[in-house]
Amino acid sequence: MAADVIGLAPSTLVFIVLGLTLVAFIWGRFRYDLVALAALLGSVMLGLVPAEGAFAGFGHPAVITVAAVLVLSRGFERSGVVDVISNQVLKVGENLLLQLLVLVGTVTLLSGIMNNVGALALLLPVAMRLAREHNTSPSLLLMPLAFGSLLGGLTTLIGTPPNIIISSYRREVTGEAFSMFSFSPVGVAVALAGLAFIVLIGWRLTPKRSGQASTDEMFDTANYLVELKVAEGSKAKGLTLQQLRDELDETIPVLAVVRDDERRAGYDFHGALEEGDILLLEAGPDELQMLEDKVGLSAIAEREEDAEEESDTSEHPDVEPAKKQPAKEAAPVDTEGLQLIEAVVRNDSMMINRSVRQLRLNHQFGLHLVAVARDGGRLKQRLRDIRFKNGDVLLLQGSENEISENLASLGCLPLAKRELHLGQPRKLVISIAIFALAIMAMIFDLLPAAVAMSTAALISLLIGVLPLREGYQAIDGPVIVLLAAMIPVGEALETSGGADLVANTLLRFGSDWPVVVTMIGLFLLSMLLSNVVNNAAAALLMAPIAVSLANGFDVSLDPFLMVVAISASCAFLTPIGHQSNTLVMGPGGYRFSDYWKLGLPLSVVVLAVSIPLILLVWPL
């Protein structure tokens, strides 16, 4: 073994690998799936994981179950659930407490039966629309909404990956997995307590970011829209829009071209520019100067003003010419029908760390990038220089018929001005029936969770509830790779004796205290870990330690496993602990330090409610 050659004990090597992995997770320079894969391959090379079992995690029931649940969750979105929910939620009126109760309560309920990020995706556009219609700051709604999606995941086996992982681990240790609703007695009570706290008290702890309810206010778009005319001697004459962009070496989006009083959207204009054409585009003062210097395009407002000034100075030579006003001082340009849409970049988006030009956003996806907002404010740098980050809010223009599919391909979630009818109401009942049959098969032990969920996902694809292409897109590749890679590493923590070493240390310090004190310590350790790494990774690492602790105390495994299941899903302290937290960061205008203000007291509530209930439902 490599461990013998290096001269270190296997448990020491495991801790080194895990330590480096956690540092890489926290650093965030590389995606967590790549970090997990590096940890797996490093463990194989060090002899901690057998080479023949290195990729066994990809066939692990927990991984298969998570993938199937992701497909089913996307099927719910396509089947019309979003339309039904939106129509009902939007009727709540102006009362903020009622808005919070309905939004957070709905996302909590949905998160119990579908992926919690998927549940948040359904309600996020609804929350944004509520905020804008009632002039409410979205920051008061979005963080509670994200935390509600995490609470809802606690209630069932399929609500969140940690529950699936803990159930599978219990089967490996005892031969029997947790059932679909084993988590419900504790999970439902914790979710209700968390919901009550958020609606009555917690929302007051969220920052109120003013001016974020309007797309125009966030991006200040109207101040940057200008009309440019193709003059007789303009170099732009005879160029297509793509040739114009190539000439400029810039990604300035042309929103529309007006010819003979007929306006065509930029993405739909494929001919050459002619004299007299008017281009509607988004540009600041620097871009306007570049357009005039390189291709001879000038803002119409400036040209008219110049003509007036020349007339005045020719008639009155002693009068000093008036100073030019920037084009953005002109009257606002009519943008009706230009199909601008606001979207947020997801954690698993292909756009992360890439620029517009690298993505070929216009060529490959037919989208114009108009503006980018980050941390609640518009980025002022040139569009072509921006490398996207998760949580960025984008203002895009594209074909209404294709924008939904293109945003899904890019890994973006529509937020506002969403005229996208994704639902297929006629298949809503079929989708729910398939899911219900799968749940019944699990409840009566007819099929294991992985088989039942996979069968339901397959039937949904076969009958057309979800197109096959979109089914594959629904499977979150980075999460699947993370789970599959970390499962063997977690097993190495156990087989190397590392889990026993940690457990014995905790037992030694807690030997003079009641078992419940050690359970609280396990809860806090797992919760802190889930706030800096993916919650699934936290569950995978803490499960062997929980079992070792239970064996050391010579008590039942179940309460310790339940502690890990609950605490691993309590990533309320940071925006990086869970995708739901990251998704609302940009639209809500939150800062990193905002999350603990609501997250810390909510974590205390969850701890205070869950530990007594776990001991009541799952006695030692």
Side-chain angles (χ1 to χ4, degrees):
M1 289 179 62
D4 297 330
V5 175
I6 296 174
L8 296 175
S11 59
T12 303
L13 288 175
V14 166
F15 288 131
I16 292 174
V17 170
L18 291 178
L20 293 174
T21 303
L22 291 179
V23 169
F25 277 141
I26 296 170
W27 183 26
R29 175 65 178 82
F30 302 102
R31 271 187 8 185
Y32 53 78
D33 53 329
L34 299 180
V35 173
L37 195 57
L40 171 62
L41 297 177
S43 299
V44 172
M45 294 175 186
L46 291 172
L48 302 172
V49 174
E52 60 273 14
F55 300 105
F58 285 92
H60 194 278
V63 176
I64 302 301
T65 305
V66 169
V69 170
L70 290 172
V71 174
L72 287 171
S73 296
R74 184 65 64 86
F76 280 136
E77 296 179 40
R78 291 278 304 188
S79 65
V81 172
V82 63
D83 295 325
V84 174
I85 293 172
S86 299
N87 291 337
Q88 298 303 314
V89 172
L90 289 171
K91 297 177 181 178
V92 298
E94 298 183 1
N95 187 290
L96 181 59
L97 291 182
L98 187 57
Q99 290 177 8
L100 283 165
L101 178 62
V102 173
L103 282 171
V104 181
T106 303
V107 80
T108 301
L109 181 63
L110 287 176
S111 295
I113 59 173
M114 63 186 297
N115 173 259
N116 36 28
V117 176
L120 178 67
L122 293 181
L123 272 297
L124 191 51
V126 179
M128 293 295 290
R129 183 173 168 186
L130 268 178
R132 287 168 180 172
E133 286 187 356
H134 300 293
N135 199 27
T136 303
S137 172
S139 63
L140 298 178
L141 300 176
L142 298 189
M143 190 183 294
L145 189 67
F147 288 174
S149 73
L150 301 188
L151 290 170
L154 302 174
T155 58
T156 65
L157 170 66
I158 63 172
T160 185
N163 289 2
I164 298 171
I165 292 166
I166 293 300
S167 176
S168 297
Y169 192 79
R170 183 178 188 261
R171 188 189 59 229
E172 293 175 5
V173 176
T174 67
E176 185 178 353
F178 284 124
S179 66
M180 176 68 181
F181 297 107
S182 295
F183 300 88
S184 300
V186 177
V188 169
V190 170
L192 289 175
L195 173 63
F197 174 78
I198 289 173
V199 172
L200 297 177
I201 301 172
W203 68 272
R204 305 174 196 275
L205 304 176
T206 60
K208 184 177 182 180
R209 304 281 188 237
S210 60
Q212 300 302 315
S214 167
T215 304
D216 289 337
E217 289 174 357
M218 176 181 285
F219 290 111
D220 200 20
T221 303
N223 288 339
Y224 289 83
L225 285 173
V226 294
E227 291 180 341
L228 305 180
K229 190 171 184 178
V230 180
E232 181 180 358
S234 173
K235 189 176 179 180
K237 182 180 176 182
L239 298 179
T240 65
L241 294 185
Q242 183 54 49
Q243 290 171 334
L244 180 66
R245 281 187 286 267
D246 293 339
E247 187 72 27
L248 294 170
D249 192 29
E250 182 56 87
T251 55
I252 295 175
V254 178
L255 302 184
V257 177
V258 180
R259 177 180 295 172
D260 299 329
D261 295 327
E262 181 181 351
R263 183 167 64 183
R264 296 178 60 183
Y267 61 81
D268 196 35
F269 184 87
H270 305 294
L273 295 173
E274 299 177 359
E275 180 183 346
D277 286 350
I278 297 173
L279 279 63
L280 177 64
L281 51 79
E282 222 258 354
D286 293 340
E287 287 83 3
L288 285 175
Q289 188 63 51
M290 178 184 62
L291 286 162
E292 184 165 7
D293 293 342
K294 287 191 174 183
V295 291
L297 292 174
S298 299
I300 293 176
E302 288 183 346
R303 293 169 60 84
E304 292 174 350
E305 191 175 340
D306 291 344
E308 291 176 4
E309 289 174 0
E310 290 175 2
S311 174
D312 290 341
T313 54
S314 62
E315 294 177 9
H316 306 282
D318 297 331
V319 178
E320 183 178 351
K323 184 178 179 181
K324 285 186 182 181
Q325 296 296 319
K328 67 176 184 176
E329 297 294 337
V333 182
D334 178 23
T335 60
E336 182 182 356
L338 293 187
Q339 300 168 5
L340 295 175
I341 189 168
E342 191 179 342
V344 63
V345 179
R346 294 177 52 140
N347 295 52
D348 55 348
S349 171
M350 63 183 292
M351 302 181 71
I352 294 175
N353 292 326
R354 300 173 74 182
S355 66
V356 175
R357 301 181 73 178
Q358 290 173 323
L359 290 164
R360 296 172 59 85
L361 202 63
N362 181 251
H363 280 297
Q364 192 165 344
F365 298 96
L367 294 172
H368 289 302
L369 178 67
V370 179
V372 181
R374 184 174 294 164
D375 300 332
R378 176 190 173 122
L379 295 183
K380 302 298 184 183
Q381 66 192 98
R382 299 174 75 176
L383 293 178
R384 71 173 185 180
D385 296 332
I386 295 174
R387 289 186 176 271
F388 301 108
K389 295 183 178 180
N390 51 350
D392 282 354
V393 182
L394 315 178
L395 192 63
L396 299 160
Q397 183 200 27
S399 169
E400 186 173 3
N401 296 329
E402 300 175 359
I403 200 167
S404 174
E405 183 177 348
N406 290 333
L407 287 178
S409 299
L410 287 167
C412 290
L413 176 66
L415 285 179
K417 296 190 178 179
R418 177 175 169 171
E419 303 296 333
L420 309 175
H421 301 288
L422 302 179
Q424 300 171 337
R426 63 189 180 85
K427 293 181 179 176
L428 174 59
V429 176
I430 298 176
S431 180
I432 294 175
I434 293 170
F435 181 74
L437 289 173
I439 298 299
M440 296 299 291
M442 293 166 59
I443 292 175
F444 292 104
D445 292 327
L446 300 177
L447 294 172
V451 177
M453 291 290 107
S454 298
T455 303
L458 175 61
I459 295 174
S460 297
L461 293 170
L462 289 175
I463 66 175
V465 170
L466 188 68
L468 183 60
R469 178 181 175 185
E470 196 165 339
Y472 279 110
Q473 290 176 346
I475 299 175
D476 193 339
V479 170
I480 298 302
V481 172
L482 169 75
L483 288 174
M486 290 303 294
I487 284 173
V489 177
E491 291 174 352
L493 179 64
E494 183 178 11
T495 56
S496 67
D500 288 335
L501 187 61
V502 174
N504 289 334
T505 302
L506 292 174
L507 287 169
R508 186 165 60 252
F509 282 108
S511 58
D512 297 329
W513 299 90
V515 177
V516 65
V517 175
T518 303
M519 293 178 66
I520 293 174
L522 178 68
F523 186 103
L524 294 174
L525 181 61
S526 179
M527 181 189 69
L528 290 174
L529 189 61
S530 72
N531 276 280
V532 294
V533 303
N534 183 279
N535 59 357
L540 285 166
L541 295 177
M542 296 304 298
I545 297 174
V547 171
S548 296
L549 277 173
N551 291 333
F553 281 114
D554 194 23
V555 296
S556 171
L557 305 177
D558 293 341
F560 283 86
L561 289 175
M562 280 292 170
V563 164
V564 173
I566 297 291
S567 56
S569 294
C570 291
F572 303 128
L573 302 179
T574 68
I576 62 174
H578 195 277
Q579 290 188 48
S580 292
N581 296 355
T582 310
L583 278 176
V584 300
M585 190 175 185
Y590 300 122
R591 304 185 182 98
F592 194 99
S593 58
D594 289 335
Y595 284 78
W596 71 269
K597 297 172 185 176
L598 170 58
L600 182 59
L602 180 59
S603 299
V604 173
V605 170
V606 172
L607 172 63
V609 173
S610 62
I611 295 295
L613 280 175
I614 288 173
L615 291 173
L616 179 64
V617 178
W618 305 96
L620 296 170

